[in-house]
Amino acid sequence: MTLLITLDALQTLDAIERRQSFAAAAEELHRVPSAVSYTINKLEEDLGVELFDRSRRKAELTAIGRLVLEQGRHILKAAEELTELTRQAADGWEVKLRICIESVLSCDAIYDLIEEFQRIQPKTQIRLSEEVLSGSWDALIDDRCDLVVGAEGSAPAPGFALHPLGQVTFDFAVAAEHPLTQLPTPIATSAILDYPTVIVSDSSQRLPTRSAGLLDGRSRIYVPSIEHKIAAQCKGLGVGYLPRHRITQQVAAGRLVVVPLDAARPPVDISVAWRRSNNGKGLRWFVERLKQIQFDPESGELIQKSLPTPSL
């Protein structure tokens, strides 16, 4: 397919309009004026339209000429961006970096790092996603993400690197008016069997799905995320364990009450995970920064690791 409108023709048209004359455009493009005139005449001939109204002393764009210029500038912009992305990729920086956040965490924990990264490499697109339980590993294995923040447990397959972030603490929480709040603590696990359990659905597409903290109640309510689980439990629809750092405000406001059980759920180890074979500069930057911070189970923030005090 032969393109009638070339980038060179669009650049020439753009220069003429911006500089308001063929001669000035020729000077900007480092050409002789006759070459600029030839390019425009050739474009008009190929398209079968007049781009400039030459009936006046000063050539002005026709309505069609204005349309070609306006749309052509989008093409020129896209060509410039493609050139930059090509150079960026050749230099080892990813065009797009996909970061998966395990739903037990909040995306707020990673926003500061993204802001810092953008100051260094603003051309790399960042795409955030959220997965639940096995879903984060599934996304990494299935190449739907490049980096997982908050991956639980060990890698289900070889070829992946991990760096520990810390532990997430879970509290058994119920709505403020729930009958369980009237029982003496710690509550026996058998006492909760009469109440629905709210469960976050595993988002894995290929790996075997799993659920965490099941309490074997007589009924279960499945929700798509931690946010929905918190909302459901605040409304008294069910009970279950929630990440301590995600319910601080709800507990302080009296919407949720933490109820100790006789068999508490142990903390969960979380890590940063990525493919060992991925050598992208953006990925390496995030990994190195994440190695310098740790997860605070109380606030849910990623905080700078404290350095050991040097001995005297």
Side-chain angles (χ1 to χ4, degrees), residues 71-274:
Q71 297 303 314
R73 280 174 170 166
H74 293 302
I75 297 174
L76 290 174
K77 178 66 174 177
E80 291 175 1
E81 292 178 351
L82 178 58
T83 300
E84 287 299 318
L85 291 176
T86 302
R87 291 171 177 168
Q88 174 180 318
D91 195 36
W93 292 100
E94 299 91 333
V95 173
K96 178 171 60 180
L97 187 62
R98 302 161 302 171
I99 302 175
C100 170
I101 311 294
E102 218 293 334
S103 71
V104 74
L105 302 180
S106 167
C107 287
D108 293 344
I110 204 72
Y111 286 154
D112 289 342
L113 285 183
I114 293 175
E115 182 180 11
E116 184 180 347
F117 178 75
Q118 286 180 322
R119 291 195 292 267
I120 299 170
Q121 185 58 28
K123 293 295 184 180
T124 296
Q125 298 178 23
I126 302 294
R127 176 170 294 182
L128 291 181
S129 62
E130 183 182 50
E131 298 286 351
V132 182
L133 298 172
S134 298
S136 57
W137 281 114
D138 185 273
L140 195 57
I141 292 173
D142 204 30
D143 196 29
R144 299 198 310 275
C145 73
D146 304 298
L147 176 69
V148 173
V149 181
E152 296 185 14
S154 57
F160 298 96
L162 288 88
H163 178 77
L165 274 180
Q167 292 185 323
V168 177
T169 302
F170 289 84
D171 289 328
F172 183 78
V174 300
E177 303 301 324
H178 198 279
L180 287 177
T181 61
Q182 305 302 314
L183 299 181
T185 58
I187 296 176
T189 304
S190 59
I192 66 175
L193 299 182
D194 290 335
Y195 305 102
T197 301
V198 182
I199 302 169
V200 181
S201 300
D202 193 312
S203 63
S204 176
Q205 298 180 20
R206 297 179 183 272
L207 294 175
T209 59
R210 63 188 179 91
S211 296
L214 291 186
L215 300 170
D216 296 324
R218 290 192 303 185
S219 62
R220 295 172 182 171
I221 301 172
Y222 286 88
V223 295
S225 69
I226 291 291
E227 290 291 341
H228 286 83
K229 179 173 167 64
I230 294 172
Q233 292 185 210
C234 283
K235 289 181 176 295
L237 300 180
V239 301
Y241 283 101
L242 291 168
R244 178 178 296 172
H245 68 277
R246 296 290 294 272
I247 59 173
T248 304
Q249 294 182 358
Q250 291 82 354
V251 171
R255 298 176 62 199
L256 285 176
V257 175
V258 174
V259 180
L261 298 183
D262 59 357
R265 180 182 174 184
V268 173
D269 294 322
I270 59 172
S271 304
V272 181
W274 67 96

Side-chain angles (χ1 to χ4, degrees), residues 16-62:
I16 294 171
E17 197 277 337
R18 285 187 294 99
R19 300 297 297 272
Q20 293 296 300
S21 79
F22 279 58
E27 180 182 356
E28 178 180 314
L29 298 172
H30 305 290
R31 301 175 185 175
V32 295
S34 60
V36 170
S37 296
Y38 173 81
T39 299
I40 297 301
N41 291 337
K42 181 69 165 57
L43 180 59
E44 290 178 321
E45 180 181 340
D46 290 341
L47 294 176
V49 299
E50 289 188 352
L51 301 177
F52 284 93
D53 180 359
R54 295 175 175 83
S55 63
R56 304 178 184 181
R57 179 180 178 184
K58 181 180 179 181
E60 295 182 0
L61 285 169
T62 62

